[in-house]
Amino acid sequence: MSDAWLPTLITESPEAGYQLAIKMSRMGVKYTQPSAEAREKLRPKYAESADSLIAVSHVVAVNFQTVAAANNYWKA
């Protein structure tokens, strides 16, 4: 994976920041498991797991904290 996909953490709004946090989380999975076939194979297992979904929510929340801090919590 050589394509730069994260030029900045600065976003125009909290909503855009949340979308970036989700993208960061997804990219983390993609870097950890580069095989699209393996990710597709595993998806049904975690899609029905409450524990897995809670864990995903936690990762997104941590990434959103990072983006929010980089944006000074969108204070003018």
Side-chain angles (χ1 to χ4, degrees):
M1 296 191 141
S2 61
D3 296 333
W5 62 271
L6 185 61
T8 184
L9 292 176
I10 304 304
T11 63
E12 292 185 19
S13 68
E15 184 174 349
Y18 192 75
Q19 291 171 358
L20 177 57
I22 292 170
K23 171 87 174 182
M24 291 167 62
S25 302
R26 293 183 70 166
M27 291 302 287
V29 170
K30 191 173 180 180
Y31 275 92
T32 304
Q33 177 47 267
S35 168
E37 184 179 325
R39 290 192 310 270
E40 289 294 323
K41 184 178 178 182
L42 293 170
R43 184 168 286 135
K45 293 179 183 177
Y46 67 77
E48 300 293 325
S49 166
D51 289 340
S52 293
L53 296 172
I54 291 168
V56 167
S57 296
H58 177 78
V59 171
V60 172
V62 169
N63 285 332
F64 185 62
Q65 286 178 320
T66 301
V67 174
N71 285 278
N72 196 30
Y73 304 94
W74 295 276
K75 295 178 183 172

